Amino acid sequence: MNEALILSNAMLWAAVLALLVAVLALSRQIGILYERVAPMGALTMDSGPKPGESAPHFHLPSLDGREVQIGHAGARSQLLFFLSPTCPVCKKLLPILKSVHKAESGWLDIVLASDGEQPEHEAFRRRADLGAFPYLLSAELGMKFRISKLPYAVLIGEDGRIRAKGLINSREQLDSLFAARDLGVASVQEYLDQPQFAKERA
Amino acid sequence: MNGLFFPSALDPVPGHTAALTLAAVLLIAAIGKLRDAALFREVLANYDLLPAALLSPASVALPLLEALAGALLLWPDSRPVGAPLALGLLALVTAGIVINLLRGRHRIDCGCGGNDVHTPLSWSLVARNALLAVLGAAASMPVADRPTVWLDTLAAAAATLFLLGLYACANQMLSNHPRLIELRDAP
C-alpha cells in the first residue's frame, strides 16, 4: 500500500511539472503571437520600406531649430536612430552612438528621432548631452518607417536609398548595419543566407 | 486548530520549499542585473527616485544585496538573516513600483524580466511581489523538528521547481498582458 502511494505521488509530481512546462511554453507562444499580430506589425524586419528601396522623404525641424532633410540624395549617408527617453536600452547605447559619430564622421550623419512631448525630450537631450545630434520629434516619421520596437536604426545611403535597418540592442548590432552596407546586402543575416554560406551551415 | 493556521514552526517541506524558491528567484534576478549593469542603471534612472550620482553605485549594490539574500536563504542556518534581508529588498523595490504607479508612470520598464522582455509597471507586479513576500515570511519561520525521509526531499525539490515554473509563467503573462490590452483597444 505504502509503495503504491509513493509511486503515485512521484508520478503526479512528474505530471504536474510536465504540465507546467507546457503552460510556460504556451504562454511564451502567446506572447510571440501578440507581438506578431499587433496592429503596427512588429514584423519590423519585413514591413515598412525595405533595404534597397528609396527612403521616404521628410523635411523636419530639429529640437535645436536646424532643418533636417531625411531621405534626400546628398554627399553623406544618414543613420536614423529611433529612441525614447524611457527606453533603458536606448540610453545604454548613447555612448556607443557618440563614439560611432566620432569614428564615422567622414561619411555619416547621425539623426535621432522620437515622438511625444517636446519639453520632456528637450530635458532628456540636455541631460544626456546630445547637442551634437539633430533630434527630431515626429510621429509620422516613425509611422512611415514602421517602427514598433526601440531602439531601431535605419541606415540611408548617400543615394537616398535604405542600405540596412534593424532593431539594435548592442554595439555589435550597430556595427552589423555598417557591415551590411559595406557588403552590399540588406542585413548580415541575408549575407549569411547567400549560397556559399548556406552550404557551410548545412 | 489554531496551530494549523498560525503554527509556531513550519513543516520542513513547505519551509524548505519557500526558502529555496525565493533564493532561486533572487539569485536569477541578481545575475541578470549584474550581467548588464549599464542597462540596469538606466532602468533605475527611469524610476526617477535616486539622484544621478547614486545611480551607478545603486545599480551594482542592489543586485549584490539581492544575490547575498538569495545565497543566505539557501542554507537553513543562515535563513534567519537571509529572509529578513530578502523581505526588506522586496519591500524596497515594491515601494519604488508603487510610487511610480501612483505618479502615473506605468509605461516604464520594471527591470524585473530578462533583458529582452519589456514588462511595464502594473499593480499585478505588486501582487506578485506580495506573494514572494509570503514565501519570505514562510522562510523566516523556524522549521519543525520532524524526522524526514527521502520522499520529503523529493516533495520539496519538486515543489520548488513547480513554484519557479509558476513564477516564470506569471512573468511571461505580466509581459503579455499590456500587448493583449493594446490589441483589444486597437481600432
Side-chain angles (χ1 to χ4, degrees):
Chain A
M1 181 64 189
N2 242 350
E3 257 165 57
L5 279 179
I6 289 170
L7 185 72
S8 98
N9 180 282
M11 279 165 63
L12 281 174
W13 269 124
V16 164
L17 290 177
L19 274 177
L20 190 70
V21 171
V23 172
L24 185 60
L26 282 176
S27 62
R28 276 175 177 268
Q29 288 175 3
I30 289 171
I32 293 168
L33 281 178
Y34 283 155
E35 205 163 281
R36 291 290 157 110
V37 297
M40 284 303 288
L43 277 165
T44 22
M45 300 305 163
D46 303 326
S47 66
K50 290 187 180 58
E53 293 177 10
S54 328
H57 289 203
F58 281 95
H59 199 90
L60 295 164
S62 163
L63 281 187
D64 55 10
R66 274 183 282 174
E67 289 282 318
V68 180
Q69 301 214 7
I70 302 289
H72 293 270
R76 294 162 67 79
S77 297
Q78 266 179 332
L79 181 76
L80 265 178
F81 190 79
F82 291 87
L83 48 65
S84 129
T86 55
C87 147
V89 186
C90 306
K91 289 200 262 180
K92 194 189 88 174
L93 286 174
L94 288 178
I96 295 164
L97 215 54
K98 284 175 189 162
S99 79
V100 168
H101 175 64
K102 241 181 240 145
E104 316 281 345
S105 62
W107 61 278
L108 183 72
D109 288 328
I110 296 178
V111 179
L112 305 180
S114 191
D115 66 343
E117 299 294 319
Q118 189 162 342
E120 187 195 337
H121 287 276
E122 268 169 355
F124 168 59
R125 185 162 178 265
R126 255 195 320 275
R127 216 170 42 232
D129 191 23
L130 298 174
F133 304 103
Y135 195 118
L136 309 177
L137 279 188
S138 161
E140 205 196 336
L141 187 65
M143 252 132 80
K144 270 274 159 57
F145 281 98
R146 296 277 189 140
I147 308 300
S148 63
K149 276 191 159 184
L150 295 175
Y152 199 92
V154 179
L155 183 64
I156 303 173
E158 50 267 44
D159 54 359
R161 287 175 189 281
I162 296 176
R163 284 295 175 80
K165 59 174 196 165
L167 191 65
I168 306 291
N169 281 320
S170 64
R171 172 166 210 132
E172 288 71 32
Q173 278 168 333
L174 198 59
D175 285 339
S176 83
L177 281 189
F178 301 140
R181 166 188 172 273
D182 295 340
L183 296 167
V185 291
S187 69
V188 171
Q189 283 74 18
E190 187 190 292
Y191 180 69
L192 291 175
D193 280 339
Q194 284 173 358
Q196 70 262 37
F197 291 103
K199 212 193 294 172
E200 275 175 38
R201 286 188 298 145
Chain B
M1 269 322 273
N2 219 10
L4 188 63
F5 290 107
F6 302 102
S8 56
L10 212 55
D11 185 81
V13 173
H16 289 311
T17 302
L20 291 177
T21 306
L22 192 57
V25 165
L26 289 170
L27 284 171
I28 292 167
I31 291 168
K33 288 179 186 118
L34 286 171
R35 274 174 65 183
D36 203 340
L39 183 67
F40 185 58
R41 187 190 174 278
E42 301 307 334
V43 170
L44 271 185
N46 266 348
Y47 273 82
D48 203 10
L49 292 167
L50 291 171
L54 283 181
L55 282 175
S56 291
S59 67
V60 180
L62 212 56
L64 281 180
L65 282 173
E66 228 177 351
L68 179 68
L72 287 173
L73 277 170
L74 284 177
W75 288 276
D77 291 340
S78 53
R79 266 175 216 164
V81 188
L85 181 60
L87 283 172
L89 282 172
L90 269 171
L92 190 70
V93 295
T94 311
I97 294 172
V98 169
I99 290 171
N100 274 291
L101 280 172
L102 293 178
R103 282 176 178 168
R105 294 162 51 91
H106 44 80
R107 295 201 59 146
I108 64 173
D109 193 278
C110 79
C112 38
N115 284 345
D116 349 298
V117 218
H118 174 76
T119 310
L121 300 185
S122 65
W123 289 106
S124 327
L125 263 176
V126 178
R128 186 204 72 177
N129 284 3
L131 288 175
L132 287 178
V134 171
L135 291 182
S140 63
M141 288 179 70
V143 172
D145 197 20
R146 124 170 123 77
T148 51
V149 293
W150 64 270
L151 195 57
D152 292 315
T153 313
L154 173 78
T160 302
L161 282 178
F162 175 75
L163 287 181
L164 283 176
L166 216 53
Y167 180 73
C169 282
N171 279 346
Q172 181 66 46
M173 284 175 192
L174 280 172
S175 123
N176 287 356
H177 189 69
R179 281 181 269 182
L180 172 68
I181 299 295
E182 222 166 82
L183 209 58
R184 193 192 62 192
D185 296 345

